Amino acid sequence: MNKADAILQQKSVRITPMRQLLLRHFLQEEAVFRLNELEEAFPKSDRITIYRTLKTFEEKGIIHSIQNGTSEVKYALCKEHCEELYHVDRHPHFHCLVCGSVECLESVILPPTILPEGYTAQETRMTIKGT
């Protein structure tokens, strides 16, 4: 069994050709992608199918979205410890204001946030912008 199929099976995601293609792309490229970049990589696939696949992957803890303060959302692979509806990728992202690239800063771990009693965090996001 290849790595993409193993991840899909582990995360209880039904294996389909589109899910396999998209996940293999994330695994091979090890990059952050915008929806339109994925559309360009898979020109025969329809935008809605790609978007729905991304949403399924995000819900199951396979990828996480990166919102950099603009309307543009990017997607990156999660680490193995992410779970369905509970992403624990506690690293910041760097957004280059010149070229627009986004990098996961996995060597920087955000400290846990102490919340008031009765509150529970489901995800933490931090974007550092610069050049």
Side-chain angles (χ1 to χ4, degrees):
M1 178 180 295
N2 65 53
K3 187 170 183 173
D5 289 353
I7 291 170
L8 293 171
Q9 187 174 30
Q10 175 192 8
K11 299 290 186 172
S12 301
V13 175
R14 189 169 52 89
I15 297 173
T16 66
M18 186 70 232
R19 290 173 180 173
Q20 290 173 311
L21 283 171
L22 204 55
L23 186 51
R24 284 183 191 144
H25 188 69
F26 273 96
L27 290 166
Q28 288 172 354
E29 298 298 323
E30 296 182 8
V32 176
F33 298 102
R34 295 185 315 261
L35 177 59
N36 66 345
E37 291 171 323
L38 295 169
E39 288 178 85
E40 290 171 10
F42 302 102
K44 294 183 180 182
S45 299
D46 124 35
R47 177 183 182 94
I48 300 299
T49 302
I50 293 172
Y51 180 76
R52 287 181 182 158
T53 301
L54 292 171
K55 287 297 159 196
T56 298
F57 284 0
E58 190 171 19
E59 289 169 2
K60 294 293 189 171
I62 297 171
I63 64 170
H64 61 277
S65 60
I66 302 165
Q67 297 170 350
N68 59 13
T70 67
S71 61
E72 184 177 68
V73 177
K74 297 185 179 189
Y75 300 91
L77 276 175
C78 286
K79 293 298 176 191
E80 293 178 16
H81 55 268
C82 285
E83 299 174 11
E84 187 172 344
L85 300 177
Y86 184 71
H87 292 270
V88 289
D89 284 307
R90 297 172 46 107
H91 61 267
H93 299 91
F94 181 82
H95 176 220
C96 179
L97 296 171
V98 174
C99 70
S101 69
V102 174
E103 300 288 330
C104 292
L105 302 177
E106 294 180 3
S107 63
V108 179
I109 304 297
L110 298 174
T113 304
I114 299 171
L115 299 172
E117 189 174 327
Y119 290 91
T120 303
Q122 292 185 330
E123 63 183 280
T124 302
R125 296 177 190 238
M126 179 182 195
T127 302
I128 300 166
K129 295 182 179 185
T131 53

